[in-house]
Amino acid sequence: KNVGIGYQAAYTANGDENTAIGYNALVDATTGNRNTALGSSAGENFTTGDDNVAIGRAALYTATTISDTVAVGKNALYAMTTGTENTAIGYEAGAAVTTGVANTFIGYVSGDANTTGGYNTALGSSTLSANTTGDKNTALGYGALLSATTASFNTAIGAFAGDALTTGAQNTYVGLQAGSSATTSNNNVAVGFQSMLSMTTGTRNTAVGAISLDAATEANDNTAFGYGALSANTTGTGNTAVGSYAGDNITTGNYNTT
């Protein structure tokens, strides 16, 4: 019940309903079932497991005992060994994943440095491309969470949203370049074009509206709602501003309400 087309394709396959097309595709498969490999060396080291799809040169190349995994693109999930329920679509998407679980990487080099991080979702070219062991991150848009390495529990939606974040946690960035300077910030919410644009290490800030809190760098516990709200604040703490340009004259002041 197996199909092998190409030099040594499905050469040792003893399972059922496997399809291998290409040089050495599924060459070492022994007891796996319902696996599909298309491309030179696709799934070459695979031995046991069910319901996997590898399309592209060396996709799922290192995988041995995985199941329920999809890799589409050259070197997609190349280093995967025993991880499960991963999906990678795009050139070298998830290429370094070894034992990570339930990741979804879609786009050119999306999640390509991820090794053991799990439950991450990245959609867009270069999204989460530096992540190694971070968990439960969501990145949608070109370069979103681009620099995150061990950061966890972050959500970034929009091109370059949160793209400088490395190890921060529990941040939400929505909009083009929202929170794009943040490096180790925690517990921030930025929604809107370039909202919280300059923030690097500040924590517990909320900015909703285009360019709101966009000059703040190390500020903490500020709340800005409205276009340009608290837009001049740099290091002020505990300020609340509601409305278009509200509090835009505050630079380093603390605990103001406007």
Side-chain angles (χ1 to χ4, degrees):
K1 297 181 180 180
N2 298 299
V3 175
I5 301 175
Y7 178 77
Q8 291 192 327
Y11 183 74
T12 61
N14 290 316
D16 295 322
E17 302 178 48
N18 295 292
T19 301
I21 302 175
Y23 173 86
N24 277 358
L26 290 180
V27 63
D28 291 326
T30 54
T31 58
N33 301 302
R34 299 177 302 279
N35 296 290
T36 300
L38 173 60
S40 175
S41 297
E44 180 170 324
N45 293 284
F46 177 80
T47 56
T48 57
D50 302 326
D51 304 302
N52 297 291
V53 175
I55 300 176
R57 187 181 186 281
L60 281 179
Y61 177 81
T62 310
T64 55
T65 55
I66 64 171
S67 295
D68 306 310
T69 295
V70 175
V72 179
K74 180 182 178 181
N75 292 344
L77 291 177
Y78 177 92
M80 174 72 67
T81 54
T82 58
T84 61
E85 300 175 19
N86 293 285
T87 299
I89 301 175
Y91 174 80
E92 293 196 350
V97 174
T98 54
T99 58
V101 175
N103 295 291
T104 299
F105 300 124
I106 300 176
Y108 174 82
V109 301
S110 174
D112 66 323
N114 192 89
T115 54
T116 60
Y119 308 99
N120 296 292
T121 299
L123 173 60
S125 178
S126 301
T127 50
L128 267 179
S129 63
N131 186 63
T132 55
T133 59
D135 297 322
K136 302 177 181 69
N137 295 291
T138 300
L140 305 178
Y142 180 87
L145 291 180
L146 170 69
S147 303
T149 54
T150 58
S152 296
F153 312 112
N154 297 288
T155 299
I157 301 174
F160 302 110
D163 66 322
L165 190 72
T166 55
T167 58
Q170 299 173 352
N171 297 289
T172 299
Y173 302 121
V174 179
L176 175 67
Q177 292 184 307
S180 67
S181 296
T183 55
T184 57
S185 294
N186 299 304
N187 302 298
N188 292 298
V189 175
V191 179
F193 170 76
Q194 293 187 344
S195 56
M196 225 176 284
L197 173 67
S198 303
M199 184 72 68
T200 55
T201 58
T203 62
R204 299 179 303 276
N205 296 287
T206 300
V208 178
I211 65 172
S212 55
L213 261 180
D214 66 325
T217 55
E218 300 175 0
N220 301 314
D221 302 301
N222 293 287
T223 301
F225 281 86
Y227 182 91
L230 288 178
S231 60
N233 184 56
T234 54
T235 58
T237 294
N239 297 292
T240 300
V242 179
S244 180
Y245 294 111
D248 66 341
N249 61 332
I250 298 172
T251 55
T252 59
N254 301 317
Y255 306 106
N256 295 285
T257 299
T258 180

mmCIF file of all heavy atoms in Angstrom, residues 50-90:
data_model
loop_
_atom_site.group_PDB
_atom_site.id
_atom_site.type_symbol
_atom_site.label_atom_id
_atom_site.label_comp_id
_atom_site.label_asym_id
_atom_site.label_seq_id
_atom_site.Cartn_x
_atom_site.Cartn_y
_atom_site.Cartn_z
ATOM 1 N N ASP A 50 2.952 8.701 12.380
ATOM 2 C CA ASP A 50 1.818 8.697 11.461
ATOM 3 C C ASP A 50 1.399 10.107 11.069
ATOM 4 O O ASP A 50 1.601 11.072 11.800
ATOM 5 C CB ASP A 50 0.626 8.003 12.120
ATOM 6 C CG ASP A 50 0.925 6.578 12.550
ATOM 7 O OD1 ASP A 50 1.700 5.901 11.847
ATOM 8 O OD2 ASP A 50 0.399 6.152 13.602
ATOM 9 N N ASP A 51 0.794 10.190 9.893
ATOM 10 C CA ASP A 51 0.090 11.386 9.439
ATOM 11 C C ASP A 51 0.981 12.627 9.360
ATOM 12 O O ASP A 51 0.605 13.718 9.787
ATOM 13 C CB ASP A 51 -1.105 11.658 10.352
ATOM 14 C CG ASP A 51 -2.043 10.473 10.429
ATOM 15 O OD1 ASP A 51 -2.538 10.048 9.372
ATOM 16 O OD2 ASP A 51 -2.260 9.954 11.542
ATOM 17 N N ASN A 52 2.155 12.472 8.790
ATOM 18 C CA ASN A 52 3.068 13.590 8.567
ATOM 19 C C ASN A 52 3.113 13.961 7.089
ATOM 20 O O ASN A 52 2.939 13.102 6.220
ATOM 21 C CB ASN A 52 4.480 13.222 9.028
ATOM 22 C CG ASN A 52 4.539 12.939 10.515
ATOM 23 O OD1 ASN A 52 4.388 13.839 11.333
ATOM 24 N ND2 ASN A 52 4.752 11.673 10.874
ATOM 25 N N VAL A 53 3.381 15.242 6.817
ATOM 26 C CA VAL A 53 3.517 15.713 5.440
ATOM 27 C C VAL A 53 4.808 16.520 5.335
ATOM 28 O O VAL A 53 5.025 17.469 6.092
ATOM 29 C CB VAL A 53 2.330 16.598 5.018
ATOM 30 C CG1 VAL A 53 2.567 17.162 3.622
ATOM 31 C CG2 VAL A 53 1.030 15.805 5.064
ATOM 32 N N ALA A 54 5.654 16.140 4.409
ATOM 33 C CA ALA A 54 6.896 16.866 4.149
ATOM 34 C C ALA A 54 7.000 17.143 2.660
ATOM 35 O O ALA A 54 7.097 16.221 1.847
ATOM 36 C CB ALA A 54 8.096 16.053 4.614
ATOM 37 N N ILE A 55 6.969 18.434 2.304
ATOM 38 C CA ILE A 55 7.037 18.827 0.902
ATOM 39 C C ILE A 55 8.138 19.871 0.737
ATOM 40 O O ILE A 55 8.089 20.940 1.348
ATOM 41 C CB ILE A 55 5.696 19.393 0.408
ATOM 42 C CG1 ILE A 55 4.587 18.338 0.553
ATOM 43 C CG2 ILE A 55 5.809 19.858 -1.035
ATOM 44 C CD1 ILE A 55 3.201 18.846 0.182
ATOM 45 N N GLY A 56 9.139 19.550 -0.056
ATOM 46 C CA GLY A 56 10.251 20.456 -0.260
ATOM 47 C C GLY A 56 11.566 19.765 0.049
ATOM 48 O O GLY A 56 11.619 18.819 0.842
ATOM 49 N N ARG A 57 12.618 20.221 -0.574
ATOM 50 C CA ARG A 57 13.920 19.600 -0.361
ATOM 51 C C ARG A 57 14.307 19.627 1.113
ATOM 52 O O ARG A 57 14.307 20.656 1.758
ATOM 53 C CB ARG A 57 14.994 20.312 -1.170
ATOM 54 C CG ARG A 57 16.351 19.597 -1.110
ATOM 55 C CD ARG A 57 17.416 20.344 -1.894
ATOM 56 N NE ARG A 57 18.654 19.585 -1.944
ATOM 57 C CZ ARG A 57 19.544 19.522 -0.947
ATOM 58 N NH1 ARG A 57 19.308 20.191 0.173
ATOM 59 N NH2 ARG A 57 20.653 18.818 -1.067
ATOM 60 N N ALA A 58 14.592 18.450 1.684
ATOM 61 C CA ALA A 58 15.046 18.281 3.074
ATOM 62 C C ALA A 58 14.026 18.742 4.109
ATOM 63 O O ALA A 58 14.384 18.996 5.260
ATOM 64 C CB ALA A 58 16.381 18.967 3.286
ATOM 65 N N ALA A 59 12.782 18.853 3.706
ATOM 66 C CA ALA A 59 11.753 19.142 4.705
ATOM 67 C C ALA A 59 11.650 17.951 5.654
ATOM 68 O O ALA A 59 11.687 16.802 5.231
ATOM 69 C CB ALA A 59 10.410 19.392 4.021
ATOM 70 N N LEU A 60 11.565 18.220 6.947
ATOM 71 C CA LEU A 60 11.518 17.155 7.971
ATOM 72 C C LEU A 60 12.696 16.185 7.824
ATOM 73 O O LEU A 60 12.566 14.993 8.069
ATOM 74 C CB LEU A 60 10.196 16.378 7.892
ATOM 75 C CG LEU A 60 8.971 17.041 8.515
ATOM 76 C CD1 LEU A 60 7.736 16.162 8.322
ATOM 77 C CD2 LEU A 60 9.178 17.332 9.989
ATOM 78 N N TYR A 61 13.831 16.705 7.461
ATOM 79 C CA TYR A 61 14.987 15.866 7.138
ATOM 80 C C TYR A 61 15.453 15.006 8.319
ATOM 81 O O TYR A 61 15.764 13.834 8.176
ATOM 82 C CB TYR A 61 16.142 16.753 6.671
ATOM 83 C CG TYR A 61 17.416 16.000 6.370
ATOM 84 C CD1 TYR A 61 17.577 15.346 5.152
ATOM 85 C CD2 TYR A 61 18.455 15.935 7.301
ATOM 86 C CE1 TYR A 61 18.740 14.645 4.867
ATOM 87 C CE2 TYR A 61 19.621 15.239 7.020
ATOM 88 C CZ TYR A 61 19.758 14.595 5.798
ATOM 89 O OH TYR A 61 20.911 13.900 5.522
ATOM 90 N N THR A 62 15.518 15.594 9.522
ATOM 91 C CA THR A 62 16.088 14.905 10.675
ATOM 92 C C THR A 62 15.047 14.126 11.468
ATOM 93 O O THR A 62 15.389 13.319 12.328
ATOM 94 C CB THR A 62 16.781 15.932 11.600
ATOM 95 O OG1 THR A 62 17.660 16.740 10.815
ATOM 96 C CG2 THR A 62 17.609 15.260 12.677
ATOM 97 N N ALA A 63 13.789 14.372 11.216
ATOM 98 C CA ALA A 63 12.713 13.777 12.003
ATOM 99 C C ALA A 63 12.805 12.256 12.045
ATOM 100 O O ALA A 63 13.081 11.613 11.042
ATOM 101 C CB ALA A 63 11.369 14.191 11.422
ATOM 102 N N THR A 64 12.561 11.717 13.235
ATOM 103 C CA THR A 64 12.629 10.259 13.391
ATOM 104 C C THR A 64 11.296 9.669 13.844
ATOM 105 O O THR A 64 10.757 8.781 13.189
ATOM 106 C CB THR A 64 13.726 9.868 14.407
ATOM 107 O OG1 THR A 64 13.494 10.558 15.648
ATOM 108 C CG2 THR A 64 15.103 10.229 13.870
ATOM 109 N N THR A 65 10.766 10.144 14.975
ATOM 110 C CA THR A 65 9.566 9.516 15.539
ATOM 111 C C THR A 65 8.475 10.544 15.795
ATOM 112 O O THR A 65 7.963 10.668 16.912
ATOM 113 C CB THR A 65 9.906 8.790 16.856
ATOM 114 O OG1 THR A 65 10.536 9.725 17.755
ATOM 115 C CG2 THR A 65 10.815 7.629 16.615
ATOM 116 N N ILE A 66 8.090 11.290 14.799
ATOM 117 C CA ILE A 66 7.086 12.341 14.964
ATOM 118 C C ILE A 66 5.748 11.929 14.378
ATOM 119 O O ILE A 66 5.659 10.981 13.590
ATOM 120 C CB ILE A 66 7.550 13.640 14.296
ATOM 121 C CG1 ILE A 66 7.672 13.441 12.781
ATOM 122 C CG2 ILE A 66 8.860 14.124 14.883
ATOM 123 C CD1 ILE A 66 7.903 14.722 12.028
ATOM 124 N N SER A 67 4.710 12.681 14.765
ATOM 125 C CA SER A 67 3.374 12.454 14.224
ATOM 126 C C SER A 67 2.645 13.782 14.055
ATOM 127 O O SER A 67 2.988 14.776 14.700
ATOM 128 C CB SER A 67 2.562 11.550 15.150
ATOM 129 O OG SER A 67 3.111 10.253 15.221
ATOM 130 N N ASP A 68 1.675 13.798 13.165
ATOM 131 C CA ASP A 68 0.783 14.947 13.001
ATOM 132 C C ASP A 68 1.530 16.249 12.739
ATOM 133 O O ASP A 68 1.215 17.297 13.299
ATOM 134 C CB ASP A 68 -0.101 15.097 14.246
ATOM 135 C CG ASP A 68 -0.847 13.822 14.582
ATOM 136 O OD1 ASP A 68 -1.483 13.267 13.678
ATOM 137 O OD2 ASP A 68 -0.768 13.369 15.739
ATOM 138 N N THR A 69 2.517 16.186 11.869
ATOM 139 C CA THR A 69 3.363 17.337 11.576
ATOM 140 C C THR A 69 3.346 17.651 10.086
ATOM 141 O O THR A 69 3.340 16.738 9.258
ATOM 142 C CB THR A 69 4.811 17.062 12.056
ATOM 143 O OG1 THR A 69 4.808 16.954 13.481
ATOM 144 C CG2 THR A 69 5.762 18.150 11.629
ATOM 145 N N VAL A 70 3.341 18.956 9.761
ATOM 146 C CA VAL A 70 3.323 19.386 8.365
ATOM 147 C C VAL A 70 4.487 20.341 8.122
ATOM 148 O O VAL A 70 4.656 21.335 8.840
ATOM 149 C CB VAL A 70 2.004 20.099 8.005
ATOM 150 C CG1 VAL A 70 2.067 20.644 6.581
ATOM 151 C CG2 VAL A 70 0.819 19.157 8.175
ATOM 152 N N ALA A 71 5.306 20.035 7.133
ATOM 153 C CA ALA A 71 6.424 20.891 6.754
ATOM 154 C C ALA A 71 6.409 21.088 5.248
ATOM 155 O O ALA A 71 6.511 20.120 4.493
ATOM 156 C CB ALA A 71 7.748 20.268 7.186
ATOM 157 N N VAL A 72 6.277 22.345 4.821
ATOM 158 C CA VAL A 72 6.221 22.653 3.392
ATOM 159 C C VAL A 72 7.231 23.758 3.087
ATOM 160 O O VAL A 72 7.132 24.867 3.627
ATOM 161 C CB VAL A 72 4.817 23.097 2.955
ATOM 162 C CG1 VAL A 72 4.804 23.431 1.474
ATOM 163 C CG2 VAL A 72 3.789 22.025 3.275
ATOM 164 N N GLY A 73 8.216 23.472 2.274
ATOM 165 C CA GLY A 73 9.233 24.441 1.930
ATOM 166 C C GLY A 73 10.620 23.866 2.156
ATOM 167 O O GLY A 73 10.810 22.978 2.990
ATOM 168 N N LYS A 74 11.598 24.349 1.409
ATOM 169 C CA LYS A 74 12.959 23.860 1.562
ATOM 170 C C LYS A 74 13.424 24.021 3.011
ATOM 171 O O LYS A 74 13.319 25.079 3.602
ATOM 172 C CB LYS A 74 13.900 24.625 0.642
ATOM 173 C CG LYS A 74 15.351 24.155 0.746
ATOM 174 C CD LYS A 74 16.279 24.960 -0.139
ATOM 175 C CE LYS A 74 17.720 24.505 0.027
ATOM 176 N NZ LYS A 74 18.661 25.293 -0.800
ATOM 177 N N ASN A 75 13.910 22.920 3.601
ATOM 178 C CA ASN A 75 14.441 22.890 4.963
ATOM 179 C C ASN A 75 13.404 23.208 6.033
ATOM 180 O O ASN A 75 13.766 23.472 7.190
ATOM 181 C CB ASN A 75 15.628 23.828 5.123
ATOM 182 C CG ASN A 75 16.849 23.374 4.346
ATOM 183 O OD1 ASN A 75 16.924 22.233 3.918
ATOM 184 N ND2 ASN A 75 17.795 24.280 4.150
ATOM 185 N N ALA A 76 12.136 23.201 5.691
ATOM 186 C CA ALA A 76 11.111 23.442 6.702
ATOM 187 C C ALA A 76 11.175 22.334 7.755
ATOM 188 O O ALA A 76 11.234 21.155 7.424
ATOM 189 C CB ALA A 76 9.727 23.482 6.059
ATOM 190 N N LEU A 77 11.216 22.727 9.029
ATOM 191 C CA LEU A 77 11.332 21.779 10.150
ATOM 192 C C LEU A 77 12.478 20.795 9.937
ATOM 193 O O LEU A 77 12.395 19.621 10.283
ATOM 194 C CB LEU A 77 10.015 21.022 10.367
ATOM 195 C CG LEU A 77 8.855 21.867 10.899
ATOM 196 C CD1 LEU A 77 7.584 21.023 10.994
ATOM 197 C CD2 LEU A 77 9.174 22.465 12.266
ATOM 198 N N TYR A 78 13.561 21.293 9.399
ATOM 199 C CA TYR A 78 14.711 20.464 9.032
ATOM 200 C C TYR A 78 15.275 19.680 10.213
ATOM 201 O O TYR A 78 15.635 18.517 10.093
ATOM 202 C CB TYR A 78 15.813 21.368 8.459
ATOM 203 C CG TYR A 78 17.089 20.653 8.092
ATOM 204 C CD1 TYR A 78 17.280 20.171 6.799
ATOM 205 C CD2 TYR A 78 18.117 20.452 9.019
ATOM 206 C CE1 TYR A 78 18.456 19.516 6.447
ATOM 207 C CE2 TYR A 78 19.288 19.798 8.689
ATOM 208 C CZ TYR A 78 19.453 19.327 7.394
ATOM 209 O OH TYR A 78 20.608 18.671 7.052
ATOM 210 N N ALA A 79 15.391 20.326 11.392
ATOM 211 C CA ALA A 79 16.056 19.695 12.540
ATOM 212 C C ALA A 79 15.111 18.953 13.467
ATOM 213 O O ALA A 79 15.547 18.394 14.480
ATOM 214 C CB ALA A 79 16.823 20.754 13.331
ATOM 215 N N MET A 80 13.841 18.937 13.150
ATOM 216 C CA MET A 80 12.865 18.269 14.010
ATOM 217 C C MET A 80 13.257 16.820 14.259
ATOM 218 O O MET A 80 13.600 16.092 13.347
ATOM 219 C CB MET A 80 11.481 18.325 13.347
ATOM 220 C CG MET A 80 10.396 17.548 14.059
ATOM 221 S SD MET A 80 9.887 18.309 15.585
ATOM 222 C CE MET A 80 9.115 19.789 14.975
ATOM 223 N N THR A 81 13.200 16.429 15.548
ATOM 224 C CA THR A 81 13.526 15.036 15.882
ATOM 225 C C THR A 81 12.297 14.305 16.407
ATOM 226 O O THR A 81 11.843 13.333 15.821
ATOM 227 C CB THR A 81 14.658 14.958 16.920
ATOM 228 O OG1 THR A 81 14.312 15.752 18.067
ATOM 229 C CG2 THR A 81 15.964 15.465 16.323
ATOM 230 N N THR A 82 11.752 14.789 17.539
ATOM 231 C CA THR A 82 10.622 14.073 18.147
ATOM 232 C C THR A 82 9.448 14.976 18.487
ATOM 233 O O THR A 82 8.509 14.537 19.153
ATOM 234 C CB THR A 82 11.089 13.361 19.439
ATOM 235 O OG1 THR A 82 11.635 14.335 20.338
ATOM 236 C CG2 THR A 82 12.133 12.309 19.128
ATOM 237 N N GLY A 83 9.468 16.224 18.083
ATOM 238 C CA GLY A 83 8.342 17.113 18.359
ATOM 239 C C GLY A 83 7.097 16.691 17.600
ATOM 240 O O GLY A 83 7.171 15.959 16.604
ATOM 241 N N THR A 84 5.930 17.123 18.079
ATOM 242 C CA THR A 84 4.676 16.745 17.432
ATOM 243 C C THR A 84 3.781 17.963 17.212
ATOM 244 O O THR A 84 3.957 19.008 17.819
ATOM 245 C CB THR A 84 3.904 15.716 18.280
ATOM 246 O OG1 THR A 84 3.585 16.292 19.560
ATOM 247 C CG2 THR A 84 4.715 14.458 18.476
ATOM 248 N N GLU A 85 2.841 17.788 16.314
ATOM 249 C CA GLU A 85 1.793 18.767 16.053
ATOM 250 C C GLU A 85 2.344 20.131 15.644
ATOM 251 O O GLU A 85 1.796 21.176 15.992
ATOM 252 C CB GLU A 85 0.879 18.908 17.265
ATOM 253 C CG GLU A 85 0.198 17.602 17.648
ATOM 254 C CD GLU A 85 -0.623 17.719 18.917
ATOM 255 O OE1 GLU A 85 -0.959 18.852 19.298
ATOM 256 O OE2 GLU A 85 -0.926 16.680 19.531
ATOM 257 N N ASN A 86 3.434 20.138 14.905
ATOM 258 C CA ASN A 86 3.992 21.377 14.387
ATOM 259 C C ASN A 86 3.615 21.557 12.917
ATOM 260 O O ASN A 86 3.528 20.578 12.167
ATOM 261 C CB ASN A 86 5.517 21.367 14.510
ATOM 262 C CG ASN A 86 5.980 21.395 15.944
ATOM 263 O OD1 ASN A 86 5.931 22.428 16.604
ATOM 264 N ND2 ASN A 86 6.440 20.258 16.446
ATOM 265 N N THR A 87 3.433 22.808 12.520
ATOM 266 C CA THR A 87 3.167 23.143 11.125
ATOM 267 C C THR A 87 4.111 24.249 10.696
ATOM 268 O O THR A 87 4.174 25.297 11.350
ATOM 269 C CB THR A 87 1.711 23.608 10.930
ATOM 270 O OG1 THR A 87 0.810 22.564 11.312
ATOM 271 C CG2 THR A 87 1.459 23.979 9.476
ATOM 272 N N ALA A 88 4.859 24.018 9.646
ATOM 273 C CA ALA A 88 5.789 25.025 9.135
ATOM 274 C C ALA A 88 5.656 25.105 7.620
ATOM 275 O O ALA A 88 5.812 24.106 6.923
ATOM 276 C CB ALA A 88 7.221 24.681 9.519
ATOM 277 N N ILE A 89 5.349 26.305 7.133
ATOM 278 C CA ILE A 89 5.185 26.509 5.701
ATOM 279 C C ILE A 89 6.018 27.713 5.279
ATOM 280 O O ILE A 89 5.803 28.825 5.764
ATOM 281 C CB ILE A 89 3.711 26.741 5.337
ATOM 282 C CG1 ILE A 89 2.856 25.531 5.762
ATOM 283 C CG2 ILE A 89 3.554 26.998 3.848
ATOM 284 C CD1 ILE A 89 1.363 25.722 5.556
ATOM 285 N N GLY A 90 7.003 27.484 4.407
ATOM 286 C CA GLY A 90 7.871 28.555 3.951
ATOM 287 C C GLY A 90 9.326 28.135 4.004
ATOM 288 O O GLY A 90 9.690 27.205 4.728
#
